[in-house]
Amino acid sequence: MILFIEVNIKKIFYLFLTVLLLTGILINVVNAEQYELTVENGSGSGIYEEGSTVIICAAPSDDLSPDSVMHEPLDVNAPIRIFDTWTGDTNYIKEIGTAKTTLVMPAKNTIVTAEYVNTDRWVVPLIQAIIPQPHIGIILFFHGQGGSAANLTLHEETRLFIGQAVARGYGVIAIDSYDRNQGVWDEEGSGTDNVDMQRVVAIRNTLIANGEISETDPFFLAGISMGGVFASRLAEQSITPEVNIPVAATALFVSKLGEEVVSTTSVPTIFVMAENDTVVDLSLAKNNFFDLLERQIPTQFFVLSATPLHPHQFWNIDGLTRLDSETMYNALENGGFLDSDGLLSDSAFEDTNADGIADWQSIIPESLNRYAFDIEAQLIKSAAEHGFYNDYSSRVFSFFENPTTILDILPEITDFDPISGSPSTMITINGANFAGIESVSFNGVQSEFSVITSSVIRAKVPDTANTGLISITNSVGTAVSGETFTVLGPVITSFLPEAGVTGSRVVIYGENFVAIDQVTIGDIPTEFEVRTSGIIIATVPSGAITGPIVVSNHTGETISSVDFVIPGVPEISEFYPSSGTVGTSITLVGVGFAYTKGIYFGRKEAQFTIDSDTQVTTTVPENASNCKITVITLGGRVTSTTYFKMLD
């Protein structure tokens, strides 16, 4: 009984003691004072109570604004600043050499400062590089928009490209764009002001200083999508003192030249494009190719076409077996994403839910989910959409080693204007791929031509051309027009004079007087001269008779609508009255008067009027005397057999 009471007394004592202690603590907490913490070059500043634990964190660098997303200074010559240590009231900091640490708030206002130190740029993981020794050159590999250097080394197709390049003796450097938030390249044209160009220069200088490369090592630029545009700009700036990189050639994958360098760049460039690219306009890159071609800059242009998906297409993905590839292929086939030819259907990439999960991903076996990125790349490749493909890598390396022009594009004819014309007519032919054109023909007859642009040709209808199709040929093949070009034959509209005799000249008017091989007058071929396409000068031939004028060439002939007259010698059958005074009207009757040139009473010329071919009226002239009357025509002259008698 006594023991029990003793135990309870102890419990009561300890309970009372505990209450006192807790009460004291609560009193202390309530009465704890607050002090200000200032964290310079970092975060964690604020008002805190004595004894509280505060997390403090140093800024990435001491020269960045709070909104900065880049930890690298714009000036490539400036050192990169990294955290070194905390200074100030460091007795309260747990780890002064750690950027993120804790501080126990003392009973006073406290200031701590993050201090920084310079470090070499190679500490920052901005590049992926492999440089064999020895090497034949350095390939700078630029990612597309939103990409990174790391992605280039992880992506199956780009990884193969890099591996093949190294195996052939190239060093490869993949570099991040400065703007790693958006993954875009600096679009500033000047090498001095372009931060990404200056970073490339800095990397090269560091490699030279470290003995990894020499100053004479040639550089080759390879860029994907917008990385290709940047590569073309860098290549153009490479000859400036601000950049001064020995760029030997450039490869643009699903990309094009920068607009500002199209007409000026002299760097050999190879284009590797995709048939169904919905991001980069294929025609723009093709025009770039033609521009280089016309300026005789070594260039090549290749287009990947859509190909049927293969059961083993996914086997080249690191981590997948042949069986895995077949499993993925069967899932796509059973899911209805392949057509009868094995081509990927458009529905494969359609979104099916709010998370943007594509149709094909909905049927992927769970065991292959982790490989979705590389699987999608193979699907995009099969569809010949916007992406990187290793299919043409060997051609790229061959181009780097020997930049030569290869034409691998058939020309195309869409239309021409005008649709008809005579020989020598200039025709505008519209189409595409007018590069390396060797000949232009009209129905098989070659013509003179000039390539105006990659889509326009001016051609002259050959003198011996006939109606038919127009064809254009380059080293790859021949394109034929879908419509017929009509070669127009000659047309006579008129001629002057309307009549003539042997040796007289006739001016023939008309159209399409080109390649004229014969002119006949009255069925007799004659000498002629084509003055213009609308004028012929001909000579009336000996033996010609009244009849049409005919002009002909290889296309056919044209016949005048009226006859050319060869006048006969005129005849006078009678005249009346047979006598009269000066001014008397005399009528002459006969034949061949239509082309009368003059009438004479003896030697006195008289005025006259041609009434018809059988009648002419004249007036007795001054000083006329008894005489015969003479009529002179184009066909000759005739004198009356009787005298005209003058009356007093």
Side-chain angles (χ1 to χ4, degrees), residues 335-387:
F337 297 123
L338 302 182
D339 63 19
S340 58
D341 296 322
L343 294 170
L344 200 67
S345 64
D346 294 337
S347 64
F349 295 105
E350 293 178 356
D351 291 342
T352 58
N353 58 38
D355 296 327
I357 301 300
D359 270 0
W360 72 268
Q361 290 177 274
S362 65
I363 53 87
I364 186 173
E366 185 176 351
S367 60
L368 303 182
N369 274 330
R370 60 180 295 191
Y371 302 100
F373 179 79
D374 283 322
I375 290 173
E376 182 177 44
Q378 291 301 314
L379 297 180
I380 292 174
K381 174 181 177 178
S382 178
E385 246 290 2
H386 187 76

Side-chain angles (χ1 to χ4, degrees), residues 68-141:
S68 178
V69 295
M70 295 296 112
H71 302 165
E72 180 184 357
L74 275 171
D75 183 359
V76 296
N77 296 313
I80 291 178
R81 302 278 286 168
I82 64 171
F83 173 79
D84 182 30
T85 188
W86 292 99
T87 60
D89 294 322
T90 58
N91 291 334
Y92 310 102
I93 298 176
K94 183 178 181 181
E95 296 287 346
I96 65 172
T98 302
K100 180 182 179 182
T101 185
T102 58
L103 176 146
V104 177
M105 192 67 194
K108 64 174 183 175
N109 293 334
T110 303
I111 299 175
V112 293
T113 303
E115 302 291 349
Y116 298 81
V117 66
N118 295 345
T119 186
D120 192 283
R121 285 180 171 269
W122 287 92
V123 173
V124 182
L126 300 179
I127 69 168
Q128 303 282 333
I130 178 169
I131 304 176
Q133 300 296 342
H135 49 264
I136 60 177
I138 303 297
I139 296 176
L140 283 172
F141 204 2

Side-chain angles (χ1 to χ4, degrees), residues 328-341:
M328 185 64 216
Y329 176 86
N330 292 334
L332 290 167
E333 186 176 40
N334 296 334
F337 297 123
L338 302 182
D339 63 19
S340 58
D341 296 322

